[in-house]
């Protein structure tokens, strides 16, 4: 059992009549096999069409390996006549026609303008990518690739899609030829790119619209480029143009001055952050000096205890305070931040012979936490909900343990 694939010869017709040959399922979902279809099944890197059959939603289309029958996978079990009226989603079809045809042109332009061969292609509703075998494509080469690809679009070449005879196929200078037996479908875009492909394509290159590479990133020994064509390229341009207009308005500069304006803001931000960090450091040092002066002494240890509410201090600020305290001789800092994920810090000066990890565990047992660790001179943990009073009780247990050591 097989299905006549009408889209091979006609990629523009989107409505048709057909007869149901079989009602089956695919991966737990109901599916119909028709005697003829314009629905394109997933393949060749191109996602499938979607649409309706007698109003029933077609959410995916696949090829059954056993007999090459086309499976029209439905959102719900089919209940209806043996004859169906099919309707292919026009917007989705056009989007993939533009991008698949645009990919052919872009792959050929990469060969000619950047000496980069296409290794793989990925198409989805979210992104369109091509992986090539070069990692050092220059900005000038990228520009040349785009210029060449869009020139082919603007020249509006005819796009021929057909199954050549074996003799005709042997004479064609194709860019890519799959290792398959039997008939091979060829797509020829005005002689610029001739390649084997079973996907759906435009009738003339002008239908593709703008071809734009929007991102390129190195992946090991390859480069992955993301591109957009036609409607997607327009939406991408519109989004970025809106963002650009908002930025220039907020910064009261023109587009040519935007880069220098952003650089100036970054420089100012770095200076402000540096000044802020210096102020925080100075404030922490002054606070640590005060706390150290009021510290409770146990044996030779000057003990500083501080518990802060969530929102009152950040973890980094509490940690910095502990560092400033323990810069003083004989100091041991027990500081904590209360909240849904409390943080407990135990830190000592270098001349204090106490194990901070052991002291931390003593505190954590009181609040029911086992999350924490560190080194003998500094340890941190918590990660559970604890109030300020509970943390003071935890530090009380630590103080008792230290007093027992010096008793």
């Amino acid at each position: 059992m097989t299905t006549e694939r009408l889209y091979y010869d006609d990629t523009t017709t989107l409505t048709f009549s057909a007869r149901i040959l079989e009602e089956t399922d695919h991966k737990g979902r109901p599916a119909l096999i028709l005697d003829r279809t314009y629905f394109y099944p997933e393949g060749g890197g191109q996602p499938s069409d979607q649409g309706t059959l007698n109003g029933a939603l077609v959410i995916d289309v696949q090829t059954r390996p056993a007999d090459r029958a086309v499976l029209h996978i439905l959102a719900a079990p089919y209940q209806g006549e043996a004859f169906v009226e099919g309707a292919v989603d026009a917007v989705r079809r056009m989007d993939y026609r533009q991008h698949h045809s645009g990919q052919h042109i872009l792959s050929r332009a990469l060969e000619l303008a950047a000496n980069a061969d296409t290794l793989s292609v990925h198409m989805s509703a979210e992104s369109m990518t091509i992986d090539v075998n070069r990692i050092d494509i220059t900005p000038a080469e990228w520009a040349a690739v785009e210029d060449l690809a869009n020139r082919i679009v603007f020249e509006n070449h005819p796009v021929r899609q057909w199954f050549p005879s074996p003799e005709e196929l042997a004479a064609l200078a194709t860019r890519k030829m799959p290792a398959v037996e039997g008939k091979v479908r060829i797509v020829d875009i005005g002689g610029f790119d001739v390649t084997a492909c079973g996907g759906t394509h435009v009738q003339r290159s002008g239908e593709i619209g703008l071809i734009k590479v929007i991102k390129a990133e190195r992946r090991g020994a390859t480069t992955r480029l993301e591109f957009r064509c036609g409607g997607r390229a327009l939406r991408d341009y519109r989004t970025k143009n809106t963002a650009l207009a908002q930025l220039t308005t907020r910064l009261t500069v023109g587009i040519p001055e935007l880069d220098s304006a952003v650089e100036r803001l970054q420089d100012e931000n770095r200076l402000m952050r540096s000044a802020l960090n210096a102020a925080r450091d100075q404030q922490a040092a002054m606070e640590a000096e005060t706390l150290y002066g009021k510290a409770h002494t146990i044996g030779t240890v000057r003990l500083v205890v501080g518990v802060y509410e969530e929102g009152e201090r950040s973890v980094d600020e509490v940690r910095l305070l502990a560092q400033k305290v323990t810069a003083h001789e004989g100091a041991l800092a027990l500081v904590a931040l209360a909240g849904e994920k409390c943080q407990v810090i135990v830190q000592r000066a270098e001349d204090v012979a106490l194990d901070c990890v052991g002291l931390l565990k003593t505190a954590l047992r009181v609040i029911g936490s086992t999350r924490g660790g560190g080194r003998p001179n500094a340890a941190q943990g918590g990660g559970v909900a604890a109030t300020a009073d509970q943390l003071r009780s935890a530090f009380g247990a630590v103080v008792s343990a230290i007093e027992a050591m010096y008793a």
Side-chain angles (χ1 to χ4, degrees):
M1 183 181 298
T2 187
T3 307
E4 183 183 2
R5 302 184 183 217
L6 303 173
Y7 60 83
Y8 276 148
D9 298 317
D10 179 3
T11 61
T12 61
T13 297
L14 301 175
T15 59
F16 65 99
S17 300
R19 180 169 58 89
I20 297 175
L21 298 179
E22 181 183 343
E23 294 188 33
T24 182
D25 65 86
H26 178 77
K27 296 182 178 179
R29 286 195 173 275
L32 299 179
I33 295 175
L34 311 178
D35 63 340
R36 60 202 298 270
T37 189
Y38 276 101
F39 278 89
Y40 177 79
E42 181 180 4
Q46 179 178 330
S48 74
D49 283 327
Q50 293 179 355
T52 60
L53 293 174
N54 279 359
L57 189 63
V58 178
I59 59 173
D60 191 15
V61 186
Q62 296 290 328
T63 298
R64 187 163 62 184
D67 56 5
R68 303 291 297 167
V70 177
L71 294 162
H72 302 76
I73 301 158
L74 307 179
Y78 177 74
Q79 295 178 344
E81 303 295 328
F83 287 88
V84 296
E85 296 296 323
V88 177
D89 184 319
V91 174
R92 182 180 174 92
R93 166 64 71 85
M94 187 59 181
D95 178 59
Y96 286 118
R97 287 174 67 207
Q98 287 178 323
H99 280 89
H100 208 153
S101 303
Q103 177 265 307
H104 282 211
I105 292 175
L106 195 53
S107 287
R108 181 58 173 156
L110 281 160
E111 286 184 353
L112 296 176
N115 193 31
D117 295 330
T118 294
L119 302 175
S120 63
V121 174
H122 172 75
M123 300 186 189
S124 74
E126 289 75 38
S127 68
M128 301 282 176
T129 62
I130 299 174
D131 290 356
V132 297
N133 65 345
R134 271 194 64 186
I135 59 173
D136 56 350
I137 300 176
T138 67
E141 287 174 319
W142 281 123
V145 168
E146 286 189 337
D147 287 345
L148 177 55
N150 283 288
R151 193 194 83 198
I152 299 303
V153 170
F154 300 151
E155 290 174 353
N156 200 25
H157 293 281
V159 179
R160 185 186 178 196
Q161 306 162 65
W162 84 108
F163 289 93
S165 67
E167 295 75 21
E168 186 182 7
L169 180 62
L172 290 173
T174 56
R175 175 173 55 84
K176 183 186 72 173
M177 183 62 68
V180 297
E181 296 181 358
K183 296 191 300 181
V184 175
R185 185 167 178 261
I186 295 295
V187 177
D188 180 352
I189 303 178
F192 176 74
D193 184 68
V194 182
T195 191
C197 183
T200 57
H201 295 274
V202 296
Q203 292 182 302
R204 299 192 70 89
S205 62
E207 296 176 55
I208 296 169
L210 177 70
I211 298 176
K212 185 71 181 79
V213 176
I214 63 170
K215 184 170 64 174
E217 59 182 3
R218 179 173 175 177
R219 290 184 167 236
T222 68
T223 295
R224 171 166 294 178
L225 65 95
E226 184 175 354
F227 70 101
R228 292 181 184 172
C229 300
R232 287 200 207 189
L234 174 61
R235 291 189 294 274
D236 181 69
Y237 178 83
R238 185 176 291 144
T239 298
K240 291 175 179 174
N241 189 63
T242 299
L244 194 62
Q246 291 173 342
L247 281 173
T248 54
T249 298
R250 290 178 181 179
L251 298 177
T252 62
V253 297
I255 292 176
E257 296 83 34
L258 183 59
D259 184 63
S260 59
V262 171
E263 185 176 359
R264 183 175 64 253
L265 284 174
Q266 289 176 325
D267 290 340
E268 292 174 357
N269 184 58
R270 279 191 288 269
L271 289 173
M272 291 176 64
R273 288 178 66 86
S274 178
L276 180 60
N277 288 336
R280 285 175 174 170
D281 191 86
Q282 185 179 18
Q283 182 183 15
M286 293 173 62
E287 184 179 0
E289 187 76 30
T290 301
L291 292 173
Y292 182 74
K294 300 177 180 179
H296 172 59
T297 301
I298 302 176
T300 59
V301 178
R302 300 288 296 274
L303 189 62
V304 172
V305 179
V307 177
Y308 305 93
E309 296 285 356
E310 186 177 23
E312 182 182 0
R313 300 283 179 96
S314 69
V315 175
D316 288 340
E317 288 171 337
V318 173
R319 190 182 295 115
L320 177 61
L321 179 60
Q323 291 171 359
K324 295 300 181 182
V325 166
T326 55
H328 295 78
E329 291 183 359
L332 175 68
L334 304 176
V335 292
L337 193 63
E340 287 300 312
K341 292 186 177 181
C342 73
Q343 290 297 313
V344 179
I345 297 171
V346 179
Q347 189 165 332
R348 64 169 172 79
E350 290 301 322
D351 62 340
V352 175
L354 291 174
D355 178 19
C356 290
V357 175
L359 297 177
L360 173 68
K361 290 181 178 178
T362 298
L364 294 182
R365 278 194 293 271
V366 176
I367 60 173
S369 174
T370 58
R371 305 173 187 173
R375 303 179 305 278
N377 65 332
Q380 181 175 337
V384 299
T387 65
D389 287 340
Q390 288 173 323
L391 291 170
R392 291 188 188 96
S393 297
F395 283 154
V398 175
V399 171
S400 297
I402 296 172
E403 288 175 338
M405 295 178 193
Y406 285 88

